[in-house]
Amino acid sequence: MASRPPTPAPEAPAPRPTVLVTGFEPFGAGGDNPSALAALALNDSDIAGHRVVGAVLPTVFGASRAVLEDLVARHRPALVVCCGLAGGRAAISLERIAINVDDARIADNAGAQPVDLPVVAGAPAAYFSTLPIKAMLQSLRSAGIAAEVSQTAGTFVCNHVFYGLMHLLAQPGCRGVRGGLVHVPWLPGQGEPAMPLETTVAGLRIALACALTVRKDLRIAAGALD
Ligand code: PCA
């Protein structure tokens, strides 16, 4: 009997590209950190053909960057969006710039309070976000979600991680990977102004879809006078 040629084994489908979304542990006197709840809510979902890896970083200088670098090395994401809580802000805040300074008004979760130290000694004074923040602003507002461009991410752990991320993505091994930081408001009950978690999660989903699909940012005014 003529033997049939062996059927080739079906090829394993190519793994979906990933997008890394991080939040932070609670810090200071606050309870839940909405950034962590949102990152975990988005974990394993699909946005614009990408699998979301949602993770929580320690609110600790140094350790937060180490965990983030490990996540980037492990998942090789196409895009990294770090999220943090900015109590007192009324809108999803798309951060424009990370600066090379740690200046902590309160202690981090390990008790450290660095003052006027560089995030990375000898590195540039600042990095711009490589997210299309104006296009993200427009898509959030069109969806009826309060959004703004912010000109400062502060000098605490969020800026520390943002700077560390942008410094990492500037290295040759991460060419083409885009990243940035988004601050989110308090949850209802934590303080005013607040944003319900569902709105924050929906907003991040819209912002991520935009960042994954828009290559060239828009040119619309969203600056500040002070
Ligand atoms: N917000 C803090 C650190 C962790 C967080 O969620 C910040 O804005 O620096």
Side-chain angles (χ1 to χ4, degrees), residues 23-27 33-36 58-59 83-87 153-160 181 183:
F24 279 100
E25 287 172 347
F27 64 99
N33 191 323
S35 68
T59 306
C83 305
L85 166 65
T155 54
F156 193 50
V157 182
C158 280
N159 174 74
H160 176 84
L181 182 102
H183 265 127

